[in-house]
Amino acid sequence: MSKKLHVQTTINGKETELLCEARQSLLEVLRDDLRLTGAKEGCNNGNCGACNLMLDGRLVNSCLVMAPEIDGRKIETIEGMASAQGLHPLQQKFLEHAALQCGICTPGFILAAKAMLAKNPTPSEGDVRHWHAGNLCRCTGYDKIIRAVLDAAPACAGKCS
Amino acid sequence: MKDIDYAAPKTLAEAVALLDGKGDRARVLAGGTDLIVQVREGRRDIDVMVDVKRIPDLTRLTVDANGLRIGAATPCCDIYEHPEVKKSYPGLVDAAFLIGGIQIQSRASLGGNLCNSSPAGDAIPALIALGAVCVIAGPKGERELPVESFCVSPGRNALARGELLAAIKISAPRTGSGAAYLRFIPRNEMDIAVVGVGVSVVLDAAKSKVVAARIGLGAVAPTPLLVKDAADALVGTTADDAAVENAASLAQAAAKPISDMRGDADYRKHLVAVLVKRTLAIALERARKS
């Protein structure tokens, strides 16, 4: 057993301390140790986006972040999106448009869409497709996802920063 | 992933000492978009990742009248979102904005792209066109190297034991300059260049004649190439059709591509001429509007 590294981080607004191994990815620590299983392991090499989350306000693949790197950093995951008032507008629109089938890619798409709408609140269809090039879905053919994101944009004004 | 150690030095000197002590058992961790995958998949055997992002200069980007200095671990997004960089270095923004998807651009750095030393690295031909200089820190102090001399063979570069790439410097564009980078891939995003071309030009005061030019090629040789002949052939011309055709065929002659799953050698040669013409057209248009 290798020695454990002490990491202090903020996850969905909550200060969190954890012990990790240097060889662990952020995704592994979230899923296996913290039981935050919203981020999914798809390709584990940065192609599919299923493990997307926000690291210090930037959309990243958590499979390509080493766990010790997050010391002192802020993390936002899909688990932090819904509030006591209910689902985030993006989550609601994904449901309304049936923009998912198996659901593995969904948390990544929703985080990616939130990151996009924070920068570009009125995207075109082309903007949405370009932004999500790093998110793969093998079920929907993307059309329903794109429609859900476009439909969510007005409702997200001020809620996606 | 196999058991490894993680170190996060806070100074360049500490990083150099670590890398010097461990030699090729250590590897710099910047954005991790190449390194983490290589170690996880067993394609690179190391004992320690040296995360250089806690060294302030390594992620700092500064622009002034002399030019641009990019800390080697600065992520692509910080480059293409920077208002001054967008305005004055569009040829660099072209490359930073097409390396991977948004998630990759949040982490991947130009320094990492150089140090991975792939013949197809998208940033490299763009940096060659811009005449970028590598600032290398090592046990004997700092040295500088033109970016076209950095890669020495696929996956290998000029860094010696204990050295790391600290920054990339680009001189401020001269009046009448324009630059661009284009690559060909079979889909719109998220792919490895079949061919990549970076071009920079400087026009005279009348915005008519070319007074200087540089052309960089990617994915057509064991390392990204500076094709001096092709660029020099443009100098003194108005970049008319004949001059452009001439430069494109000289670039084509300098390309020594291999055939692989992304394209055969003849196809890549064809693409070099097409992309040199297209990239040059964008660089010229930017120069005329500058």
Side-chain angles (χ1 to χ4, degrees), chain B residues 113-155:
Chain B
N113 201 228
L114 266 170
C115 291
N116 195 50
S117 306
S118 159
D122 280 306
I124 310 174
L127 290 167
I128 289 174
L130 292 165
V133 172
C134 299
V135 180
I136 297 167
K140 291 175 200 151
E142 221 173 73
R143 66 182 175 113
E144 295 192 347
L145 190 67
V147 73
E148 61 269 23
S149 305
F150 187 80
C151 300
V152 296
S153 65

mmCIF file of all heavy atoms in Angstrom, chain B residues 113-155:
data_model
loop_
_atom_site.group_PDB
_atom_site.id
_atom_site.type_symbol
_atom_site.label_atom_id
_atom_site.label_comp_id
_atom_site.label_asym_id
_atom_site.label_seq_id
_atom_site.Cartn_x
_atom_site.Cartn_y
_atom_site.Cartn_z
ATOM 1 N N ASN B 113 2.161 20.285 -25.362
ATOM 2 C CA ASN B 113 2.084 19.872 -26.764
ATOM 3 C C ASN B 113 3.497 19.762 -27.351
ATOM 4 O O ASN B 113 3.823 18.791 -28.043
ATOM 5 C CB ASN B 113 1.254 20.907 -27.531
ATOM 6 C CG ASN B 113 0.673 20.395 -28.842
ATOM 7 O OD1 ASN B 113 0.785 21.054 -29.864
ATOM 8 N ND2 ASN B 113 0.070 19.225 -28.841
ATOM 9 N N LEU B 114 4.348 20.743 -27.016
ATOM 10 C CA LEU B 114 5.739 20.700 -27.490
ATOM 11 C C LEU B 114 6.500 19.533 -26.867
ATOM 12 O O LEU B 114 7.206 18.796 -27.559
ATOM 13 C CB LEU B 114 6.447 22.002 -27.114
ATOM 14 C CG LEU B 114 6.458 23.107 -28.160
ATOM 15 C CD1 LEU B 114 6.966 24.397 -27.541
ATOM 16 C CD2 LEU B 114 7.342 22.720 -29.343
ATOM 17 N N CYS B 115 6.365 19.368 -25.534
ATOM 18 C CA CYS B 115 7.158 18.345 -24.852
ATOM 19 C C CYS B 115 6.704 16.932 -25.204
ATOM 20 O O CYS B 115 7.496 15.998 -25.142
ATOM 21 C CB CYS B 115 7.114 18.558 -23.340
ATOM 22 S SG CYS B 115 8.009 20.042 -22.854
ATOM 23 N N ASN B 116 5.434 16.765 -25.575
ATOM 24 C CA ASN B 116 4.986 15.449 -26.040
ATOM 25 C C ASN B 116 5.648 15.120 -27.382
ATOM 26 O O ASN B 116 5.810 13.961 -27.745
ATOM 27 C CB ASN B 116 3.461 15.435 -26.155
ATOM 28 C CG ASN B 116 2.884 14.049 -26.276
ATOM 29 O OD1 ASN B 116 3.201 13.163 -25.487
ATOM 30 N ND2 ASN B 116 2.069 13.827 -27.301
ATOM 31 N N SER B 117 6.007 16.191 -28.097
ATOM 32 C CA SER B 117 6.826 16.085 -29.321
ATOM 33 C C SER B 117 6.262 15.145 -30.378
ATOM 34 O O SER B 117 7.010 14.434 -31.059
ATOM 35 C CB SER B 117 8.267 15.690 -28.971
ATOM 36 O OG SER B 117 8.797 16.587 -28.025
ATOM 37 N N SER B 118 4.937 15.149 -30.494
ATOM 38 C CA SER B 118 4.327 14.387 -31.587
ATOM 39 C C SER B 118 4.562 15.137 -32.891
ATOM 40 O O SER B 118 4.473 16.365 -32.923
ATOM 41 C CB SER B 118 2.816 14.252 -31.344
ATOM 42 O OG SER B 118 2.154 13.970 -32.562
ATOM 43 N N PRO B 119 4.845 14.424 -33.987
ATOM 44 C CA PRO B 119 4.985 15.109 -35.281
ATOM 45 C C PRO B 119 3.708 15.864 -35.656
ATOM 46 O O PRO B 119 3.757 16.804 -36.443
ATOM 47 C CB PRO B 119 5.238 13.959 -36.264
ATOM 48 C CG PRO B 119 5.657 12.792 -35.445
ATOM 49 C CD PRO B 119 5.047 12.969 -34.081
ATOM 50 N N ALA B 120 2.561 15.444 -35.078
ATOM 51 C CA ALA B 120 1.269 16.027 -35.440
ATOM 52 C C ALA B 120 0.763 17.042 -34.419
ATOM 53 O O ALA B 120 -0.373 17.494 -34.514
ATOM 54 C CB ALA B 120 0.236 14.914 -35.616
ATOM 55 N N GLY B 121 1.576 17.418 -33.426
ATOM 56 C CA GLY B 121 1.130 18.384 -32.408
ATOM 57 C C GLY B 121 0.657 19.680 -33.066
ATOM 58 O O GLY B 121 1.407 20.300 -33.818
ATOM 59 N N ASP B 122 -0.586 20.084 -32.778
ATOM 60 C CA ASP B 122 -1.171 21.223 -33.504
ATOM 61 C C ASP B 122 -0.511 22.555 -33.189
ATOM 62 O O ASP B 122 -0.497 23.455 -34.028
ATOM 63 C CB ASP B 122 -2.669 21.335 -33.182
ATOM 64 C CG ASP B 122 -3.491 20.355 -33.988
ATOM 65 O OD1 ASP B 122 -3.369 20.367 -35.225
ATOM 66 O OD2 ASP B 122 -4.242 19.571 -33.384
ATOM 67 N N ALA B 123 -0.002 22.713 -31.963
ATOM 68 C CA ALA B 123 0.552 24.023 -31.618
ATOM 69 C C ALA B 123 1.872 24.275 -32.333
ATOM 70 O O ALA B 123 2.263 25.424 -32.535
ATOM 71 C CB ALA B 123 0.769 24.110 -30.103
ATOM 72 N N ILE B 124 2.572 23.208 -32.699
ATOM 73 C CA ILE B 124 3.978 23.368 -33.089
ATOM 74 C C ILE B 124 4.163 24.106 -34.429
ATOM 75 O O ILE B 124 4.923 25.066 -34.493
ATOM 76 C CB ILE B 124 4.725 22.012 -33.014
ATOM 77 C CG1 ILE B 124 4.446 21.360 -31.636
ATOM 78 C CG2 ILE B 124 6.238 22.223 -33.204
ATOM 79 C CD1 ILE B 124 4.996 19.952 -31.466
ATOM 80 N N PRO B 125 3.443 23.712 -35.498
ATOM 81 C CA PRO B 125 3.610 24.488 -36.740
ATOM 82 C C PRO B 125 3.192 25.953 -36.578
ATOM 83 O O PRO B 125 3.808 26.849 -37.172
ATOM 84 C CB PRO B 125 2.689 23.774 -37.735
ATOM 85 C CG PRO B 125 2.494 22.404 -37.186
ATOM 86 C CD PRO B 125 2.546 22.554 -35.694
ATOM 87 N N ALA B 126 2.179 26.192 -35.746
ATOM 88 C CA ALA B 126 1.740 27.577 -35.501
ATOM 89 C C ALA B 126 2.848 28.353 -34.802
ATOM 90 O O ALA B 126 3.133 29.504 -35.144
ATOM 91 C CB ALA B 126 0.469 27.579 -34.666
ATOM 92 N N LEU B 127 3.494 27.718 -33.810
ATOM 93 C CA LEU B 127 4.589 28.379 -33.086
ATOM 94 C C LEU B 127 5.805 28.584 -33.992
ATOM 95 O O LEU B 127 6.494 29.599 -33.905
ATOM 96 C CB LEU B 127 4.980 27.554 -31.851
ATOM 97 C CG LEU B 127 3.947 27.547 -30.715
ATOM 98 C CD1 LEU B 127 4.277 26.451 -29.700
ATOM 99 C CD2 LEU B 127 3.888 28.913 -30.025
ATOM 100 N N ILE B 128 6.054 27.604 -34.864
ATOM 101 C CA ILE B 128 7.173 27.744 -35.812
ATOM 102 C C ILE B 128 6.919 28.953 -36.719
ATOM 103 O O ILE B 128 7.807 29.778 -36.948
ATOM 104 C CB ILE B 128 7.347 26.446 -36.644
ATOM 105 C CG1 ILE B 128 7.906 25.323 -35.755
ATOM 106 C CG2 ILE B 128 8.257 26.690 -37.850
ATOM 107 C CD1 ILE B 128 7.993 23.955 -36.442
ATOM 108 N N ALA B 129 5.692 29.058 -37.223
ATOM 109 C CA ALA B 129 5.369 30.179 -38.117
ATOM 110 C C ALA B 129 5.577 31.515 -37.410
ATOM 111 O O ALA B 129 6.015 32.491 -38.021
ATOM 112 C CB ALA B 129 3.925 30.050 -38.606
ATOM 113 N N LEU B 130 5.284 31.548 -36.115
ATOM 114 C CA LEU B 130 5.402 32.797 -35.358
ATOM 115 C C LEU B 130 6.822 33.045 -34.844
ATOM 116 O O LEU B 130 7.071 34.025 -34.153
ATOM 117 C CB LEU B 130 4.415 32.791 -34.180
ATOM 118 C CG LEU B 130 2.939 32.861 -34.597
ATOM 119 C CD1 LEU B 130 2.033 32.492 -33.436
ATOM 120 C CD2 LEU B 130 2.587 34.243 -35.127
ATOM 121 N N GLY B 131 7.744 32.160 -35.162
ATOM 122 C CA GLY B 131 9.131 32.345 -34.736
ATOM 123 C C GLY B 131 9.308 32.262 -33.236
ATOM 124 O O GLY B 131 10.132 32.974 -32.648
ATOM 125 N N ALA B 132 8.531 31.385 -32.581
ATOM 126 C CA ALA B 132 8.562 31.281 -31.119
ATOM 127 C C ALA B 132 9.901 30.724 -30.633
ATOM 128 O O ALA B 132 10.602 30.008 -31.362
ATOM 129 C CB ALA B 132 7.425 30.390 -30.640
ATOM 130 N N VAL B 133 10.218 31.069 -29.395
ATOM 131 C CA VAL B 133 11.465 30.627 -28.756
ATOM 132 C C VAL B 133 11.111 29.880 -27.466
ATOM 133 O O VAL B 133 10.266 30.336 -26.692
ATOM 134 C CB VAL B 133 12.361 31.844 -28.441
ATOM 135 C CG1 VAL B 133 13.562 31.439 -27.594
ATOM 136 C CG2 VAL B 133 12.814 32.516 -29.739
ATOM 137 N N CYS B 134 11.750 28.737 -27.250
ATOM 138 C CA CYS B 134 11.530 27.961 -26.029
ATOM 139 C C CYS B 134 12.494 28.450 -24.953
ATOM 140 O O CYS B 134 13.702 28.565 -25.204
ATOM 141 C CB CYS B 134 11.829 26.485 -26.269
ATOM 142 S SG CYS B 134 10.788 25.753 -27.522
ATOM 143 N N VAL B 135 11.953 28.714 -23.765
ATOM 144 C CA VAL B 135 12.809 29.054 -22.623
ATOM 145 C C VAL B 135 12.918 27.784 -21.769
ATOM 146 O O VAL B 135 11.914 27.282 -21.261
ATOM 147 C CB VAL B 135 12.213 30.199 -21.782
ATOM 148 C CG1 VAL B 135 13.122 30.536 -20.603
ATOM 149 C CG2 VAL B 135 11.958 31.430 -22.655
ATOM 150 N N ILE B 136 14.138 27.269 -21.657
ATOM 151 C CA ILE B 136 14.368 25.989 -20.984
ATOM 152 C C ILE B 136 15.140 26.238 -19.691
ATOM 153 O O ILE B 136 16.177 26.901 -19.702
ATOM 154 C CB ILE B 136 15.154 25.040 -21.915
ATOM 155 C CG1 ILE B 136 14.312 24.731 -23.173
ATOM 156 C CG2 ILE B 136 15.560 23.757 -21.189
ATOM 157 C CD1 ILE B 136 15.096 24.057 -24.287
ATOM 158 N N ALA B 137 14.603 25.715 -18.579
ATOM 159 C CA ALA B 137 15.301 25.837 -17.295
ATOM 160 C C ALA B 137 15.971 24.504 -16.989
ATOM 161 O O ALA B 137 15.410 23.446 -17.275
ATOM 162 C CB ALA B 137 14.311 26.195 -16.194
ATOM 163 N N GLY B 138 17.150 24.567 -16.418
ATOM 164 C CA GLY B 138 17.864 23.327 -16.111
ATOM 165 C C GLY B 138 18.894 23.539 -15.029
ATOM 166 O O GLY B 138 19.034 24.652 -14.497
ATOM 167 N N PRO B 139 19.634 22.470 -14.697
ATOM 168 C CA PRO B 139 20.620 22.555 -13.618
ATOM 169 C C PRO B 139 21.686 23.624 -13.882
ATOM 170 O O PRO B 139 22.269 24.165 -12.949
ATOM 171 C CB PRO B 139 21.259 21.156 -13.599
ATOM 172 C CG PRO B 139 20.311 20.267 -14.338
ATOM 173 C CD PRO B 139 19.561 21.126 -15.296
ATOM 174 N N LYS B 140 21.944 23.933 -15.157
ATOM 175 C CA LYS B 140 22.986 24.930 -15.449
ATOM 176 C C LYS B 140 22.381 26.320 -15.679
ATOM 177 O O LYS B 140 23.065 27.203 -16.190
ATOM 178 C CB LYS B 140 23.782 24.502 -16.681
ATOM 179 C CG LYS B 140 24.642 23.273 -16.440
ATOM 180 C CD LYS B 140 25.319 22.824 -17.735
ATOM 181 C CE LYS B 140 25.773 21.381 -17.639
ATOM 182 N NZ LYS B 140 25.779 20.735 -18.950
ATOM 183 N N GLY B 141 21.118 26.487 -15.376
ATOM 184 C CA GLY B 141 20.476 27.785 -15.589
ATOM 185 C C GLY B 141 19.516 27.745 -16.754
ATOM 186 O O GLY B 141 19.013 26.673 -17.112
ATOM 187 N N GLU B 142 19.288 28.900 -17.346
ATOM 188 C CA GLU B 142 18.283 28.998 -18.399
ATOM 189 C C GLU B 142 18.945 29.053 -19.771
ATOM 190 O O GLU B 142 20.023 29.630 -19.916
ATOM 191 C CB GLU B 142 17.492 30.297 -18.174
ATOM 192 C CG GLU B 142 16.010 30.145 -18.408
ATOM 193 C CD GLU B 142 15.250 31.402 -17.999
ATOM 194 O OE1 GLU B 142 15.330 32.416 -18.709
ATOM 195 O OE2 GLU B 142 14.573 31.333 -16.971
ATOM 196 N N ARG B 143 18.314 28.449 -20.764
ATOM 197 C CA ARG B 143 18.796 28.607 -22.138
ATOM 198 C C ARG B 143 17.586 28.770 -23.049
ATOM 199 O O ARG B 143 16.466 28.434 -22.668
ATOM 200 C CB ARG B 143 19.662 27.420 -22.578
ATOM 201 C CG ARG B 143 18.905 26.095 -22.693
ATOM 202 C CD ARG B 143 19.864 24.970 -23.101
ATOM 203 N NE ARG B 143 19.184 23.673 -23.090
ATOM 204 C CZ ARG B 143 18.940 22.946 -24.202
ATOM 205 N NH1 ARG B 143 19.292 23.398 -25.391
ATOM 206 N NH2 ARG B 143 18.328 21.774 -24.111
ATOM 207 N N GLU B 144 17.835 29.291 -24.242
ATOM 208 C CA GLU B 144 16.743 29.491 -25.196
ATOM 209 C C GLU B 144 17.027 28.713 -26.465
ATOM 210 O O GLU B 144 18.183 28.511 -26.838
ATOM 211 C CB GLU B 144 16.580 30.988 -25.504
ATOM 212 C CG GLU B 144 16.152 31.772 -24.269
ATOM 213 C CD GLU B 144 15.699 33.187 -24.575
ATOM 214 O OE1 GLU B 144 15.934 33.666 -25.711
ATOM 215 O OE2 GLU B 144 15.119 33.814 -23.672
ATOM 216 N N LEU B 145 15.943 28.270 -27.104
ATOM 217 C CA LEU B 145 16.082 27.442 -28.296
ATOM 218 C C LEU B 145 14.930 27.794 -29.247
ATOM 219 O O LEU B 145 13.777 27.862 -28.804
ATOM 220 C CB LEU B 145 15.969 25.964 -27.866
ATOM 221 C CG LEU B 145 16.308 24.874 -28.861
ATOM 222 C CD1 LEU B 145 17.796 24.884 -29.192
ATOM 223 C CD2 LEU B 145 15.905 23.506 -28.295
ATOM 224 N N PRO B 146 15.228 28.003 -30.539
ATOM 225 C CA PRO B 146 14.117 28.246 -31.474
ATOM 226 C C PRO B 146 13.184 27.038 -31.480
ATOM 227 O O PRO B 146 13.648 25.897 -31.395
ATOM 228 C CB PRO B 146 14.800 28.388 -32.832
ATOM 229 C CG PRO B 146 16.251 28.564 -32.556
ATOM 230 C CD PRO B 146 16.529 27.961 -31.219
ATOM 231 N N VAL B 147 11.893 27.295 -31.565
ATOM 232 C CA VAL B 147 10.914 26.217 -31.412
ATOM 233 C C VAL B 147 11.096 25.121 -32.468
ATOM 234 O O VAL B 147 10.865 23.946 -32.188
ATOM 235 C CB VAL B 147 9.477 26.815 -31.402
ATOM 236 C CG1 VAL B 147 9.056 27.270 -32.789
ATOM 237 C CG2 VAL B 147 8.483 25.861 -30.802
ATOM 238 N N GLU B 148 11.578 25.485 -33.661
ATOM 239 C CA GLU B 148 11.744 24.474 -34.717
ATOM 240 C C GLU B 148 12.874 23.493 -34.402
ATOM 241 O O GLU B 148 12.994 22.457 -35.052
ATOM 242 C CB GLU B 148 11.947 25.123 -36.098
ATOM 243 C CG GLU B 148 13.171 26.013 -36.237
ATOM 244 C CD GLU B 148 12.865 27.480 -35.889
ATOM 245 O OE1 GLU B 148 11.889 27.736 -35.163
ATOM 246 O OE2 GLU B 148 13.628 28.346 -36.360
ATOM 247 N N SER B 149 13.726 23.842 -33.413
ATOM 248 C CA SER B 149 14.817 22.930 -33.041
ATOM 249 C C SER B 149 14.466 22.090 -31.816
ATOM 250 O O SER B 149 15.286 21.292 -31.354
ATOM 251 C CB SER B 149 16.088 23.728 -32.723
ATOM 252 O OG SER B 149 16.416 24.562 -33.795
ATOM 253 N N PHE B 150 13.268 22.278 -31.267
ATOM 254 C CA PHE B 150 12.928 21.619 -29.997
ATOM 255 C C PHE B 150 12.670 20.121 -30.161
ATOM 256 O O PHE B 150 13.189 19.293 -29.417
ATOM 257 C CB PHE B 150 11.720 22.304 -29.355
ATOM 258 C CG PHE B 150 11.417 21.802 -27.975
ATOM 259 C CD1 PHE B 150 12.143 22.252 -26.881
ATOM 260 C CD2 PHE B 150 10.423 20.853 -27.765
ATOM 261 C CE1 PHE B 150 11.882 21.771 -25.604
ATOM 262 C CE2 PHE B 150 10.154 20.365 -26.493
ATOM 263 C CZ PHE B 150 10.884 20.826 -25.409
ATOM 264 N N CYS B 151 11.845 19.753 -31.142
ATOM 265 C CA CYS B 151 11.541 18.323 -31.356
ATOM 266 C C CYS B 151 12.667 17.706 -32.178
ATOM 267 O O CYS B 151 13.124 18.307 -33.153
ATOM 268 C CB CYS B 151 10.218 18.157 -32.097
ATOM 269 S SG CYS B 151 8.822 18.854 -31.197
ATOM 270 N N VAL B 152 13.116 16.510 -31.771
ATOM 271 C CA VAL B 152 14.233 15.891 -32.514
ATOM 272 C C VAL B 152 13.834 14.594 -33.215
ATOM 273 O O VAL B 152 14.473 14.189 -34.180
ATOM 274 C CB VAL B 152 15.479 15.676 -31.618
ATOM 275 C CG1 VAL B 152 16.026 17.003 -31.138
ATOM 276 C CG2 VAL B 152 15.164 14.790 -30.421
ATOM 277 N N SER B 153 12.800 13.931 -32.732
ATOM 278 C CA SER B 153 12.258 12.745 -33.410
ATOM 279 C C SER B 153 10.896 12.487 -32.760
ATOM 280 O O SER B 153 10.572 13.118 -31.759
ATOM 281 C CB SER B 153 13.211 11.549 -33.263
ATOM 282 O OG SER B 153 13.294 11.165 -31.900
ATOM 283 N N PRO B 154 10.090 11.547 -33.312
ATOM 284 C CA PRO B 154 8.753 11.365 -32.734
ATOM 285 C C PRO B 154 8.830 11.069 -31.232
ATOM 286 O O PRO B 154 9.483 10.108 -30.818
ATOM 287 C CB PRO B 154 8.188 10.176 -33.518
ATOM 288 C CG PRO B 154 8.900 10.226 -34.819
ATOM 289 C CD PRO B 154 10.298 10.704 -34.490
ATOM 290 N N GLY B 155 8.209 11.920 -30.409
ATOM 291 C CA GLY B 155 8.184 11.725 -28.963
ATOM 292 C C GLY B 155 9.444 12.165 -28.250
ATOM 293 O O GLY B 155 9.522 12.051 -27.031
#
